[in-house]
Structure formats: structure tokens, C-alpha cells
Amino acid sequence: MEAIEISPEVAERIRRARRAVFFTGAGVSRESGLATFRGDGGLWESRRPEELATPQAFARHPDTVWRWYAWRFHQAAAAEPNPAHLAIASFEGRFPSSLVVTQNVDGLHRRAGSQRILELHGTLVEATCHSCGRRRPMGEAVAQSADAPPRCPCGGLFRPAVVWFGEALPPAVLADAHEEAQRADLFVSIGTSGVVYPAAGLIEVAHRAGALLVEVNPEPTPFSSLAALRFAEPAGLAVPRLLETIERCRSQA
Ligand code: OAD
């Protein structure tokens, strides 16, 4: 594996780091075959979020919204974690404190073996009743009804347990993510365009609180200039290289 050039000052900060946050977006799952939202071939290139990912869209066209998420659920279920997910998972337990904060709903971090995960935008692995909040596995709900959202015993409609535009992020999850960003020594932003708030604001929170910011993204983002280390490469290549570098810095007492 090719060694990465880093300054002695950055190496020292990595060596002393105790708390790492891996902040991920759709790009981390690109090499698992899942489309991103923005950019070439992105899900929002040919579709409008307000027609598929808002409570208003679900109220107007529940069947269309349900079918789209059923399709995404099947895509995610058929996908496998890639070397980036696996490297992040392997880091847990080898570092004093390491946590994944993800905007993704595909469940791939958990399937890769990560255990400390904050899912800011919910999960596609579960369905929830839009009226009473009852939850059940999405696979079971989709198997019951692939073309229209099944009904809950309360009479409400099941929907994916994701956060839609116009909805609040789960407050406890956001509060925990905020606190982790503030306490992080190392904040690694991977595969996110950094344009959707409040999630993207965590990068600023971590930077302002003094974390060393690392960015993994083939394309520049609004936060690239804040990064002390930047990997303009696909995550599956860059993340294992980054983690090897961190291990190397930390083994130099
Ligand atoms: P985006 O689609 O906005 O951005 C994906 C980022 O991944 C882009 O900056 C790409 O350059 C980068 N990328 C592409 N391939 C990559 C690879 N192999 N390795 C690393 N990076 C790669 O996705 P998010 O930032 O996750 O929200 O989008 C944020 C939110 O907007 C999503 O959670 C979703 C979406 O609308 C909701 O649905 C509420």
C-alpha cells in the first residue's frame, strides 16, 4: 500500500487523537453499487425530491412513494458492504472511541459490522406507521405489499422509517451527533456533498471545536478547504489507506 505524505504536525495530531467520528454520505456506498443523489447518475438527476421524499408527496401519491422506496430497499438489500464500510467497522475497537454518523439509510455500515452508528436520516431497513409510529421490518412490509403501503392495525399507512425533506431529524440522534462532533479529535467526512442541513453542519461544528478534518471525496465540496487531509479518490480505495496511515501514526510513540 502506497504511504500517504502528511506533515509532522498533522501526524502528531493523529497520534494524540482519542475520539474519531466517521461522517458518511451516499458516496461511501457508491462502490457497493448504490446510486448517490446528486451528480452524474444521481437519484435526483431524473427525479424531484419533493415528489418522492416529502410528507406531502406521500399524502398525494402514497403508492408511487412506496414503490420507489420498495425499489431502493431491494437495491440496498442486494448490495454488499464495500472496503470502505469494512475498514470503518474494523476501526471500532482498535481506536479509543470511534463512531459512525451517517446520512445513509441503506444499513450497510451495520452489515459491515459497525456497532456504534447514528443514523441521522433514519433507516430503510424498517417501516413505520405514518399515524401511530408502530415499526416493523421493511422487508416484511414490502413482501406483504410491494405496490402500495400496507395498513397498520391502527388504520394508518406504513412508510419507510426514513427522514423526509421537511421533517425533523430524530432529536436525540441529532443531539448525540452534535455532541460527538464537538468532542471529536478526528472528523472524517466521506462521500457527502455537504449541502443538506442540519447534517452537513456537523462538519462545521467539529472543525470549530478543533477536530482535525479529513475529507474523502473524488469531487470538491464546500468543506474541502477546511480539511487538513483530503483524498480525492473513491472511498473504497481511500478509507483503507487512511486507516492504515492513522494506525501508522499511532504506533509511533
Ligand atoms: P450526495 O449525492 O449529495 O453526494 C454524494 C457525494 O459522494 C458527492 O459529493 C460525490 O462526489 C461523492 N462520491 C461519489 N462517488 C464516490 C465514491 N466512490 N467515494 C467517495 N465519494 C463519492 O449524497 P449525500 O451527501 O449523502 O437525504 O446527500 C445528503 C442527503 O441528500 C441524503 O441523505 C438524502 C439526499 O437527498 C434525504 O433523503 C433526506
Side-chain angles (χ1 to χ4, degrees):
M1 199 182 281
E2 198 185 318
I4 295 156
E5 292 278 328
I6 48 174
S7 71
E9 189 216 324
V10 169
E12 177 61 10
R13 289 184 67 189
I14 292 176
R15 194 182 70 74
R16 290 154 58 121
R18 291 290 170 268
R19 303 183 73 90
V21 170
F22 293 93
F23 176 66
T24 64
V28 78
S29 298
R30 185 68 201 92
E31 288 150 275
S32 295
L34 300 180
T36 58
F37 293 95
R38 297 169 185 82
D40 278 355
L43 293 170
W44 297 150
E45 201 180 46
S46 53
R47 305 166 181 87
R48 284 155 46 88
E50 51 276 36
E51 280 166 16
L52 290 166
T54 63
Q56 292 79 6
F58 189 63
R60 274 199 305 271
H61 314 289
D63 299 0
T64 306
V65 172
W66 182 255
R67 278 197 298 271
W68 190 63
Y69 279 96
W71 169 75
R72 285 186 57 203
F73 167 77
H74 286 304
Q75 298 258 308
E80 293 295 334
N82 69 51
H85 298 107
L86 296 169
I88 293 168
S90 77
F91 205 58
E92 213 173 284
R94 286 199 279 150
F95 200 76
S97 167
S98 151
L99 169 89
V100 175
V101 177
T102 189
Q103 298 163 87
N104 297 347
V105 296
D106 56 33
L108 288 178
H109 283 299
R110 200 167 300 280
R111 283 175 50 206
S114 285
Q115 291 182 18
R116 295 194 67 216
I117 309 172
L118 295 175
E119 293 178 314
L120 293 171
H121 292 166
T123 177
L124 201 46
V125 172
E126 285 190 304
T128 182
C129 172
H130 198 45
S131 301
C132 74
R134 181 189 186 116
R135 286 170 91 97
R136 64 189 292 205
M138 184 71 175
E140 189 189 289
V142 167
Q144 183 190 334
S145 172
D147 288 330
R151 279 208 182 271
C152 176
C154 82
L157 292 178
F158 276 103
R159 54 167 280 183
V162 301
V163 176
W164 281 327
F165 288 101
E167 292 183 321
L169 274 59
V173 175
L174 184 59
D176 285 355
H178 200 273
E179 190 183 331
E180 293 286 350
Q182 241 165 355
R183 296 174 69 193
D185 304 308
L186 200 58
F187 191 93
V188 187
S189 173
I190 306 168
T192 179
S193 56
V195 297
V196 175
Y197 282 77
L202 295 170
I203 305 174
E204 278 160 344
V205 168
H207 179 71
R208 267 205 309 273
L212 184 87
L213 191 63
V214 180
E215 184 174 74
V216 175
N217 197 317
E219 304 295 332
T221 78
F223 298 101
S224 297
S225 61
L226 302 182
L229 270 181
R230 200 180 124 69
F231 294 75
E233 296 169 355
L237 195 67
V239 179
R241 267 161 37 90
L242 166 66
L243 297 195
E244 191 267 339
T245 305
I246 294 173
E247 292 281 4
R248 192 158 35 83
C249 292
R250 284 168 47 79
S251 66
Q252 286 162 4

